[in-house]
Amino acid sequence: MGDRDWRPFIYGGLASIVAEFGTFPIDTTKTRLQIQGQKIDPRHVELRYTGMVDCFVKTSQQEGIKALYCGIWPAVLRQATYGTIKFGTYYSLKKALAARRADGGSKEHLATNTFCAAFAGGLSSAIANPTDVLKVRMQVGDEKRNLVRCFADMYRLEGVRGLWRGVGPTSQRAALIAAVELPVYDACKRRLLVPLGDAPLNHLLSSLLASLGSAVASTPLDVVRTRLMNQRKMKDHIAKATEKVYSGTVDCFVQTVRNEGFLALYKGFVPTWLRMGPWNIIFFITYEQLKRVY
């Protein structure tokens, strides 16, 4: 494999980091909205925020603007891992499979693109899961120490399982988002080439269209994985009768609906959608410009 084959991985990682810096405060409001109102967690029973704007304002006033960026460094580390593997794997695998088809890859194939995107999203998300766990806990305000010490303490107190807390719904969510976003973006971009050309406006509109469906499909899994990641299960700890935690993805899903209603699965939907749009716009425009540089 030649050196040029690594370009999608490098471009994907760099573009993901740029997009993360540009949209992280929205992600923080999303995480805090998803955590609140849990009946089984006494730390987060209270509904502190009425929505994204209220969360943004209260967090800024009570904790300072810096609180909106609490967790940015594990997020950047996550994107350096997740974004690099996800986009590099998607475009490389899509190219490899297209070359094996009878048409030699001259036409886009929706089924192939969807498979490649889902595989790349699930794989990269599972690998980067520890950084996601730490990001969530920092955003909620439970962790304020340096990155290395946090990872070391998580491993010491919670073991390997603590680092991969919520990996199931995280991988499923990432696979679902990728399976919707990447093929839709490629299809929209291809359709808009004639009227708009391969220009930033094309990339902008394709990004917006790609983000809507993925937000609707992925938010319930996002709520579940955020709540699983935020809870702690210490090694060799015997739970008390009054101490309740989610036993897994299905249990979290069922208890959330039972205690808070079905719409609780869409807590944080507005910031999720509003973040996906700008995130995709920044990412794909950055990605496309990097492609032009080299």
PDB file of all heavy atoms in Angstrom, residues 229-254:
ATOM      1  N   MET A 229     -22.302   5.559  30.455  1.00  0.00           N
ATOM      2  CA  MET A 229     -20.937   6.031  30.628  1.00  0.00           C
ATOM      3  C   MET A 229     -20.770   6.851  31.902  1.00  0.00           C
ATOM      4  O   MET A 229     -19.710   6.816  32.540  1.00  0.00           O
ATOM      5  CB  MET A 229     -20.514   6.887  29.422  1.00  0.00           C
ATOM      6  CG  MET A 229     -20.220   6.092  28.177  1.00  0.00           C
ATOM      7  SD  MET A 229     -19.768   7.178  26.808  1.00  0.00           S
ATOM      8  CE  MET A 229     -19.242   5.973  25.599  1.00  0.00           C
ATOM      9  N   ASN A 230     -21.803   7.575  32.295  1.00  0.00           N
ATOM     10  CA  ASN A 230     -21.696   8.462  33.453  1.00  0.00           C
ATOM     11  C   ASN A 230     -21.740   7.704  34.776  1.00  0.00           C
ATOM     12  O   ASN A 230     -21.251   8.197  35.782  1.00  0.00           O
ATOM     13  CB  ASN A 230     -22.820   9.499  33.419  1.00  0.00           C
ATOM     14  CG  ASN A 230     -22.638  10.571  34.466  1.00  0.00           C
ATOM     15  OD1 ASN A 230     -21.594  11.209  34.551  1.00  0.00           O
ATOM     16  ND2 ASN A 230     -23.653  10.770  35.294  1.00  0.00           N
ATOM     17  N   GLN A 231     -22.316   6.505  34.801  1.00  0.00           N
ATOM     18  CA  GLN A 231     -22.400   5.773  36.061  1.00  0.00           C
ATOM     19  C   GLN A 231     -21.104   5.004  36.323  1.00  0.00           C
ATOM     20  O   GLN A 231     -20.391   4.614  35.412  1.00  0.00           O
ATOM     21  CB  GLN A 231     -23.587   4.810  36.040  1.00  0.00           C
ATOM     22  CG  GLN A 231     -23.451   3.641  35.088  1.00  0.00           C
ATOM     23  CD  GLN A 231     -24.660   2.711  35.149  1.00  0.00           C
ATOM     24  OE1 GLN A 231     -25.641   2.988  35.821  1.00  0.00           O
ATOM     25  NE2 GLN A 231     -24.571   1.596  34.446  1.00  0.00           N
ATOM     26  N   ARG A 232     -20.818   4.808  37.603  1.00  0.00           N
ATOM     27  CA  ARG A 232     -19.593   4.119  38.003  1.00  0.00           C
ATOM     28  C   ARG A 232     -19.914   2.778  38.654  1.00  0.00           C
ATOM     29  O   ARG A 232     -20.834   2.679  39.453  1.00  0.00           O
ATOM     30  CB  ARG A 232     -18.789   4.973  38.993  1.00  0.00           C
ATOM     31  CG  ARG A 232     -18.083   6.153  38.361  1.00  0.00           C
ATOM     32  CD  ARG A 232     -17.463   7.038  39.424  1.00  0.00           C
ATOM     33  NE  ARG A 232     -16.527   7.998  38.869  1.00  0.00           N
ATOM     34  CZ  ARG A 232     -16.875   9.116  38.267  1.00  0.00           C
ATOM     35  NH1 ARG A 232     -18.146   9.420  38.149  1.00  0.00           N
ATOM     36  NH2 ARG A 232     -15.972   9.949  37.777  1.00  0.00           N
ATOM     37  N   LYS A 233     -19.129   1.758  38.308  1.00  0.00           N
ATOM     38  CA  LYS A 233     -19.222   0.447  38.954  1.00  0.00           C
ATOM     39  C   LYS A 233     -17.819   0.065  39.412  1.00  0.00           C
ATOM     40  O   LYS A 233     -17.000  -0.393  38.616  1.00  0.00           O
ATOM     41  CB  LYS A 233     -19.763  -0.608  37.976  1.00  0.00           C
ATOM     42  CG  LYS A 233     -21.217  -0.417  37.578  1.00  0.00           C
ATOM     43  CD  LYS A 233     -21.678  -1.531  36.654  1.00  0.00           C
ATOM     44  CE  LYS A 233     -23.114  -1.337  36.219  1.00  0.00           C
ATOM     45  NZ  LYS A 233     -23.558  -2.417  35.277  1.00  0.00           N
ATOM     46  N   MET A 234     -17.553   0.293  40.685  1.00  0.00           N
ATOM     47  CA  MET A 234     -16.225   0.027  41.210  1.00  0.00           C
ATOM     48  C   MET A 234     -15.955  -1.474  41.275  1.00  0.00           C
ATOM     49  O   MET A 234     -16.862  -2.273  41.516  1.00  0.00           O
ATOM     50  CB  MET A 234     -16.064   0.639  42.611  1.00  0.00           C
ATOM     51  CG  MET A 234     -16.332   2.132  42.668  1.00  0.00           C
ATOM     52  SD  MET A 234     -15.276   3.083  41.536  1.00  0.00           S
ATOM     53  CE  MET A 234     -15.755   4.756  41.935  1.00  0.00           C
ATOM     54  N   LYS A 235     -14.702  -1.844  41.091  1.00  0.00           N
ATOM     55  CA  LYS A 235     -14.315  -3.244  41.195  1.00  0.00           C
ATOM     56  C   LYS A 235     -14.513  -3.744  42.637  1.00  0.00           C
ATOM     57  O   LYS A 235     -14.219  -3.042  43.591  1.00  0.00           O
ATOM     58  CB  LYS A 235     -12.841  -3.426  40.797  1.00  0.00           C
ATOM     59  CG  LYS A 235     -12.540  -3.191  39.341  1.00  0.00           C
ATOM     60  CD  LYS A 235     -11.128  -3.586  38.987  1.00  0.00           C
ATOM     61  CE  LYS A 235     -10.099  -2.752  39.706  1.00  0.00           C
ATOM     62  NZ  LYS A 235      -8.715  -3.077  39.271  1.00  0.00           N
ATOM     63  N   ASP A 236     -15.016  -4.979  42.758  1.00  0.00           N
ATOM     64  CA  ASP A 236     -15.193  -5.639  44.062  1.00  0.00           C
ATOM     65  C   ASP A 236     -16.114  -4.860  44.992  1.00  0.00           C
ATOM     66  O   ASP A 236     -16.051  -5.003  46.225  1.00  0.00           O
ATOM     67  CB  ASP A 236     -13.833  -5.849  44.761  1.00  0.00           C
ATOM     68  CG  ASP A 236     -12.859  -6.642  43.895  1.00  0.00           C
ATOM     69  OD1 ASP A 236     -13.315  -7.581  43.224  1.00  0.00           O
ATOM     70  OD2 ASP A 236     -11.657  -6.302  43.893  1.00  0.00           O
ATOM     71  N   HIS A 237     -16.973  -4.020  44.434  1.00  0.00           N
ATOM     72  CA  HIS A 237     -17.894  -3.231  45.255  1.00  0.00           C
ATOM     73  C   HIS A 237     -19.221  -3.965  45.374  1.00  0.00           C
ATOM     74  O   HIS A 237     -19.804  -4.392  44.384  1.00  0.00           O
ATOM     75  CB  HIS A 237     -18.127  -1.852  44.620  1.00  0.00           C
ATOM     76  CG  HIS A 237     -19.195  -1.048  45.309  1.00  0.00           C
ATOM     77  ND1 HIS A 237     -19.044  -0.536  46.574  1.00  0.00           N
ATOM     78  CD2 HIS A 237     -20.447  -0.686  44.901  1.00  0.00           C
ATOM     79  CE1 HIS A 237     -20.144   0.121  46.923  1.00  0.00           C
ATOM     80  NE2 HIS A 237     -20.998   0.042  45.925  1.00  0.00           N
ATOM     81  N   ILE A 238     -19.696  -4.128  46.592  1.00  0.00           N
ATOM     82  CA  ILE A 238     -20.985  -4.777  46.842  1.00  0.00           C
ATOM     83  C   ILE A 238     -22.053  -3.696  46.949  1.00  0.00           C
ATOM     84  O   ILE A 238     -22.000  -2.844  47.845  1.00  0.00           O
ATOM     85  CB  ILE A 238     -20.945  -5.619  48.135  1.00  0.00           C
ATOM     86  CG1 ILE A 238     -19.858  -6.698  48.020  1.00  0.00           C
ATOM     87  CG2 ILE A 238     -22.307  -6.250  48.406  1.00  0.00           C
ATOM     88  CD1 ILE A 238     -19.670  -7.497  49.293  1.00  0.00           C
ATOM     89  N   ALA A 239     -22.981  -3.723  46.031  1.00  0.00           N
ATOM     90  CA  ALA A 239     -23.996  -2.675  45.978  1.00  0.00           C
ATOM     91  C   ALA A 239     -24.968  -2.777  47.155  1.00  0.00           C
ATOM     92  O   ALA A 239     -25.336  -3.867  47.581  1.00  0.00           O
ATOM     93  CB  ALA A 239     -24.769  -2.765  44.662  1.00  0.00           C
ATOM     94  N   LYS A 240     -25.376  -1.626  47.673  1.00  0.00           N
ATOM     95  CA  LYS A 240     -26.368  -1.571  48.747  1.00  0.00           C
ATOM     96  C   LYS A 240     -27.761  -1.730  48.160  1.00  0.00           C
ATOM     97  O   LYS A 240     -27.966  -1.586  46.958  1.00  0.00           O
ATOM     98  CB  LYS A 240     -26.248  -0.243  49.483  1.00  0.00           C
ATOM     99  CG  LYS A 240     -24.889  -0.001  50.120  1.00  0.00           C
ATOM    100  CD  LYS A 240     -24.826   1.383  50.746  1.00  0.00           C
ATOM    101  CE  LYS A 240     -23.441   1.652  51.327  1.00  0.00           C
ATOM    102  NZ  LYS A 240     -23.336   3.018  51.900  1.00  0.00           N
ATOM    103  N   ALA A 241     -28.722  -1.991  49.033  1.00  0.00           N
ATOM    104  CA  ALA A 241     -30.095  -2.201  48.577  1.00  0.00           C
ATOM    105  C   ALA A 241     -30.668  -0.942  47.934  1.00  0.00           C
ATOM    106  O   ALA A 241     -31.489  -1.011  47.022  1.00  0.00           O
ATOM    107  CB  ALA A 241     -30.972  -2.632  49.747  1.00  0.00           C
ATOM    108  N   THR A 242     -30.235   0.215  48.439  1.00  0.00           N
ATOM    109  CA  THR A 242     -30.747   1.486  47.921  1.00  0.00           C
ATOM    110  C   THR A 242     -29.957   1.981  46.702  1.00  0.00           C
ATOM    111  O   THR A 242     -30.309   2.991  46.104  1.00  0.00           O
ATOM    112  CB  THR A 242     -30.688   2.561  49.015  1.00  0.00           C
ATOM    113  OG1 THR A 242     -29.342   2.666  49.497  1.00  0.00           O
ATOM    114  CG2 THR A 242     -31.613   2.203  50.173  1.00  0.00           C
ATOM    115  N   GLU A 243     -28.886   1.284  46.377  1.00  0.00           N
ATOM    116  CA  GLU A 243     -28.011   1.714  45.287  1.00  0.00           C
ATOM    117  C   GLU A 243     -28.422   1.023  43.984  1.00  0.00           C
ATOM    118  O   GLU A 243     -28.398  -0.200  43.884  1.00  0.00           O
ATOM    119  CB  GLU A 243     -26.561   1.359  45.628  1.00  0.00           C
ATOM    120  CG  GLU A 243     -25.536   1.914  44.662  1.00  0.00           C
ATOM    121  CD  GLU A 243     -24.123   1.566  45.095  1.00  0.00           C
ATOM    122  OE1 GLU A 243     -23.930   1.216  46.271  1.00  0.00           O
ATOM    123  OE2 GLU A 243     -23.229   1.644  44.240  1.00  0.00           O
ATOM    124  N   LYS A 244     -28.812   1.806  43.012  1.00  0.00           N
ATOM    125  CA  LYS A 244     -29.289   1.246  41.754  1.00  0.00           C
ATOM    126  C   LYS A 244     -28.445   1.750  40.582  1.00  0.00           C
ATOM    127  O   LYS A 244     -28.125   2.929  40.509  1.00  0.00           O
ATOM    128  CB  LYS A 244     -30.759   1.610  41.525  1.00  0.00           C
ATOM    129  CG  LYS A 244     -31.720   1.032  42.564  1.00  0.00           C
ATOM    130  CD  LYS A 244     -33.147   1.428  42.261  1.00  0.00           C
ATOM    131  CE  LYS A 244     -34.109   0.864  43.283  1.00  0.00           C
ATOM    132  NZ  LYS A 244     -35.521   1.265  43.006  1.00  0.00           N
ATOM    133  N   VAL A 245     -28.103   0.844  39.696  1.00  0.00           N
ATOM    134  CA  VAL A 245     -27.389   1.200  38.468  1.00  0.00           C
ATOM    135  C   VAL A 245     -28.023   0.442  37.315  1.00  0.00           C
ATOM    136  O   VAL A 245     -28.721  -0.551  37.520  1.00  0.00           O
ATOM    137  CB  VAL A 245     -25.880   0.861  38.552  1.00  0.00           C
ATOM    138  CG1 VAL A 245     -25.194   1.706  39.601  1.00  0.00           C
ATOM    139  CG2 VAL A 245     -25.685  -0.627  38.850  1.00  0.00           C
ATOM    140  N   TYR A 246     -27.768   0.901  36.125  1.00  0.00           N
ATOM    141  CA  TYR A 246     -28.268   0.191  34.950  1.00  0.00           C
ATOM    142  C   TYR A 246     -27.405  -1.042  34.715  1.00  0.00           C
ATOM    143  O   TYR A 246     -26.178  -0.978  34.756  1.00  0.00           O
ATOM    144  CB  TYR A 246     -28.208   1.096  33.719  1.00  0.00           C
ATOM    145  CG  TYR A 246     -29.003   2.374  33.856  1.00  0.00           C
ATOM    146  CD1 TYR A 246     -28.366   3.612  33.896  1.00  0.00           C
ATOM    147  CD2 TYR A 246     -30.389   2.350  33.931  1.00  0.00           C
ATOM    148  CE1 TYR A 246     -29.088   4.791  34.022  1.00  0.00           C
ATOM    149  CE2 TYR A 246     -31.120   3.525  34.050  1.00  0.00           C
ATOM    150  CZ  TYR A 246     -30.465   4.738  34.093  1.00  0.00           C
ATOM    151  OH  TYR A 246     -31.192   5.903  34.209  1.00  0.00           O
ATOM    152  N   SER A 247     -28.060  -2.166  34.449  1.00  0.00           N
ATOM    153  CA  SER A 247     -27.314  -3.409  34.223  1.00  0.00           C
ATOM    154  C   SER A 247     -26.815  -3.525  32.794  1.00  0.00           C
ATOM    155  O   SER A 247     -25.957  -4.356  32.509  1.00  0.00           O
ATOM    156  CB  SER A 247     -28.194  -4.621  34.561  1.00  0.00           C
ATOM    157  OG  SER A 247     -29.355  -4.649  33.731  1.00  0.00           O
ATOM    158  N   GLY A 248     -27.355  -2.711  31.894  1.00  0.00           N
ATOM    159  CA  GLY A 248     -26.920  -2.764  30.505  1.00  0.00           C
ATOM    160  C   GLY A 248     -27.777  -1.887  29.617  1.00  0.00           C
ATOM    161  O   GLY A 248     -28.618  -1.108  30.097  1.00  0.00           O
ATOM    162  N   THR A 249     -27.595  -2.027  28.323  1.00  0.00           N
ATOM    163  CA  THR A 249     -28.295  -1.184  27.345  1.00  0.00           C
ATOM    164  C   THR A 249     -29.803  -1.314  27.434  1.00  0.00           C
ATOM    165  O   THR A 249     -30.529  -0.324  27.518  1.00  0.00           O
ATOM    166  CB  THR A 249     -27.833  -1.538  25.920  1.00  0.00           C
ATOM    167  OG1 THR A 249     -26.412  -1.380  25.826  1.00  0.00           O
ATOM    168  CG2 THR A 249     -28.512  -0.647  24.893  1.00  0.00           C
ATOM    169  N   VAL A 250     -30.286  -2.560  27.428  1.00  0.00           N
ATOM    170  CA  VAL A 250     -31.736  -2.795  27.448  1.00  0.00           C
ATOM    171  C   VAL A 250     -32.344  -2.279  28.745  1.00  0.00           C
ATOM    172  O   VAL A 250     -33.408  -1.647  28.735  1.00  0.00           O
ATOM    173  CB  VAL A 250     -32.039  -4.298  27.261  1.00  0.00           C
ATOM    174  CG1 VAL A 250     -33.540  -4.559  27.385  1.00  0.00           C
ATOM    175  CG2 VAL A 250     -31.540  -4.791  25.905  1.00  0.00           C
ATOM    176  N   ASP A 251     -31.674  -2.547  29.885  1.00  0.00           N
ATOM    177  CA  ASP A 251     -32.186  -2.097  31.175  1.00  0.00           C
ATOM    178  C   ASP A 251     -32.270  -0.573  31.227  1.00  0.00           C
ATOM    179  O   ASP A 251     -33.251  -0.013  31.720  1.00  0.00           O
ATOM    180  CB  ASP A 251     -31.282  -2.615  32.294  1.00  0.00           C
ATOM    181  CG  ASP A 251     -31.790  -2.205  33.676  1.00  0.00           C
ATOM    182  OD1 ASP A 251     -32.969  -2.459  33.971  1.00  0.00           O
ATOM    183  OD2 ASP A 251     -31.009  -1.629  34.449  1.00  0.00           O
ATOM    184  N   CYS A 252     -31.252   0.107  30.731  1.00  0.00           N
ATOM    185  CA  CYS A 252     -31.259   1.568  30.705  1.00  0.00           C
ATOM    186  C   CYS A 252     -32.392   2.085  29.822  1.00  0.00           C
ATOM    187  O   CYS A 252     -33.102   3.021  30.186  1.00  0.00           O
ATOM    188  CB  CYS A 252     -29.916   2.083  30.193  1.00  0.00           C
ATOM    189  SG  CYS A 252     -29.779   3.889  30.192  1.00  0.00           S
ATOM    190  N   PHE A 253     -32.563   1.459  28.671  1.00  0.00           N
ATOM    191  CA  PHE A 253     -33.630   1.845  27.742  1.00  0.00           C
ATOM    192  C   PHE A 253     -34.997   1.687  28.405  1.00  0.00           C
ATOM    193  O   PHE A 253     -35.824   2.612  28.393  1.00  0.00           O
ATOM    194  CB  PHE A 253     -33.545   0.981  26.484  1.00  0.00           C
ATOM    195  CG  PHE A 253     -34.493   1.373  25.389  1.00  0.00           C
ATOM    196  CD1 PHE A 253     -34.099   2.236  24.380  1.00  0.00           C
ATOM    197  CD2 PHE A 253     -35.785   0.891  25.357  1.00  0.00           C
ATOM    198  CE1 PHE A 253     -34.969   2.603  23.363  1.00  0.00           C
ATOM    199  CE2 PHE A 253     -36.673   1.243  24.357  1.00  0.00           C
ATOM    200  CZ  PHE A 253     -36.261   2.105  23.356  1.00  0.00           C
ATOM    201  N   VAL A 254     -35.233   0.516  29.011  1.00  0.00           N
ATOM    202  CA  VAL A 254     -36.533   0.213  29.629  1.00  0.00           C
ATOM    203  C   VAL A 254     -36.809   1.132  30.808  1.00  0.00           C
ATOM    204  O   VAL A 254     -37.905   1.693  30.935  1.00  0.00           O
ATOM    205  CB  VAL A 254     -36.588  -1.267  30.073  1.00  0.00           C
ATOM    206  CG1 VAL A 254     -37.837  -1.531  30.919  1.00  0.00           C
ATOM    207  CG2 VAL A 254     -36.578  -2.187  28.866  1.00  0.00           C
TER     208      VAL A 254
END
